[in-house]
């Protein structure tokens, strides 16, 4: 595997389900990010982890819970979501938080019924 | 005010022709970086090109070049010799500042480019 991978690629869940999104980066980076991309809206930064410590939480509802067990892995735990949470969730990584480009994974297309 | 403005929701270009995608930005920070990403229908955001606010020359990467006009606060992407595989959404983004905490990328709403055979 190379770059940034995300699983699953597609997820359909009910509002009472609990699920997790997984992101793994194979680039040796030490910063990881979760973004939300809704239809017709710009990408929204949700969480930032640097050296496995959360450095940003952009007023994200508590039904989204991130976890970064090590510098290569990032999870987004989901519970009691709402239909408006349906979106493409993108993970990214970079070398440091002030590095130049962020490298993105292919995303997880989430549908909440 | 929006920090990144992309005024073209959609663009069409003939294969092998050049196309310019517009981006204007708004910041009072003297240090910033400007990025262009490509997002095919598969969803992955692919980094294309970067321009730093202090860079003297316009950035170029293969068929991509960034027309950086600092006084006008514009950072248009020029794609030369368009190919069918260039059909995708294109996003302009900005990072303000260079110190700790300057990790946040602010994205525009994107331009959908369609290359016509």
């Amino acid at each position: 595997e190379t770059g940034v991978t995300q699983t699953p690629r597609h997820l359909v869940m009910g509002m009472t389900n609990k699920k997790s999104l997984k992101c793994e980066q194979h680039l040796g980076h030490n910063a990881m990010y979760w973004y939300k991309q809704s239809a017709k809206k710009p990408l929204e930064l949700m969480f930032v982890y640097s050296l496995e410590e959360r450095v940003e939480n952009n007023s994200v509802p508590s039904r989204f819970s991130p976890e970064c067990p090590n510098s290569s892995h990032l999870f987004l735990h989901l519970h009691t979501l709402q239909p408006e949470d349906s979106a493409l969730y993108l993970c990214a990584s970079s070398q440091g938080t002030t590095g130049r480009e962020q490298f993105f994974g292919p995303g997880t297309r989430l549908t909440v019924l | 005010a929006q920090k990144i403005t992309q005024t073209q929701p959609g663009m069409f270009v003939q294969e092998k022709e050049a196309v310019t995608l517009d981006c204007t930005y708004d910041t009072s920070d003297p240090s910033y970086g400007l990025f262009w990403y490509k997002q095919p229908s598969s969803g992955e955001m692919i980094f294309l090109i970067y321009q730093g606010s202090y860079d003297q020359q316009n950035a170029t990467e293969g068929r991509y070049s960034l027309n950086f006009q600092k006084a006008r606060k514009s950072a248009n992407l020029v794609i030369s010799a368009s190919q069918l595989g260039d059909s995708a959404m294109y996003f302009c983004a900005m990072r303000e500042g260079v110190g700790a905490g300057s990790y946040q990328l602010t994205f525009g709403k994107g331009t959908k480019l369609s290359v016509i055979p």
Side-chain angles (χ1 to χ4, degrees):
Chain A
E1 293 279 12
T2 58
V4 182
T5 58
Q6 289 186 244
T7 54
R9 294 293 309 275
H10 300 272
L11 178 63
V12 179
M13 60 186 289
M15 289 191 286
T16 58
N17 291 158
K18 289 185 179 181
K19 296 287 185 183
S20 296
L21 310 185
K22 179 183 176 182
C23 174
E24 184 173 1
Q25 60 94 1
H26 309 268
L27 301 168
H29 291 163
N30 55 17
M32 297 187 77
Y33 310 77
W34 279 117
Y35 287 87
K36 176 183 178 182
Q37 186 178 28
S38 304
K40 302 189 188 302
K41 291 177 67 175
L43 266 74
E44 304 169 64
L45 179 65
M46 300 175 72
F47 300 104
V48 180
Y49 275 83
S50 175
L51 298 172
E52 300 151 45
E53 295 290 327
R54 190 191 308 181
V55 296
E56 182 73 25
N57 175 352
N58 260 1
S59 302
V60 179
S62 59
R63 56 185 183 269
F64 294 92
S65 175
E67 179 190 1
C68 187
N70 55 61
S71 59
S72 299
H73 293 86
L74 185 65
F75 294 89
L76 188 62
H77 303 301
L78 317 171
H79 63 98
T80 59
L81 294 192
Q82 304 297 313
E84 59 265 30
D85 297 322
S86 298
L88 180 68
Y89 288 84
L90 290 160
C91 173
S93 71
S94 67
Q95 184 51 41
T97 52
T98 58
R100 278 182 30 166
E101 60 269 33
Q102 296 175 12
F103 293 84
F104 285 79
T108 295
R109 175 71 63 186
L110 174 67
T111 302
V112 181
L113 301 177
Chain B
Q2 290 185 28
K3 286 184 178 281
I4 295 288
T5 303
Q6 294 182 253
T7 57
Q8 307 152 314
M11 287 281 287
F12 290 89
V13 63
Q14 201 76 37
E15 193 178 6
K16 300 181 185 177
E17 297 292 312
V19 63
T20 298
L21 307 183
D22 295 341
C23 173
T24 57
Y25 59 93
D26 182 30
T27 181
S28 57
D29 198 314
S31 299
Y32 53 90
L34 297 158
F35 303 77
W36 277 93
Y37 283 85
K38 170 185 178 182
Q39 187 178 40
S41 57
S42 58
E44 182 177 357
M45 297 282 280
I46 302 167
F47 167 74
L48 296 178
I49 197 166
Y50 166 84
Q51 180 85 43
S53 60
Y54 295 117
D55 293 344
Q56 295 295 313
Q57 294 190 335
N58 287 347
T60 60
E61 290 287 346
R63 294 187 298 113
Y64 305 107
S65 60
L66 200 152
N67 184 1
F68 182 44
Q69 297 189 44
K70 197 169 182 177
R72 297 179 59 185
K73 293 189 175 179
S74 74
N76 298 340
L77 176 70
V78 180
I79 305 174
S80 63
S82 298
Q83 302 172 357
L84 296 178
D86 294 334
S87 294
M89 286 290 292
Y90 287 81
F91 292 92
C92 180
M94 176 175 65
R95 188 192 72 237
E96 296 175 273
V98 294
S102 64
Y103 42 75
Q104 181 155 349
L105 289 180
T106 303
F107 285 82
K109 292 185 177 182
T111 295
K112 183 174 183 179
L113 177 67
S114 299
V115 180
I116 305 166

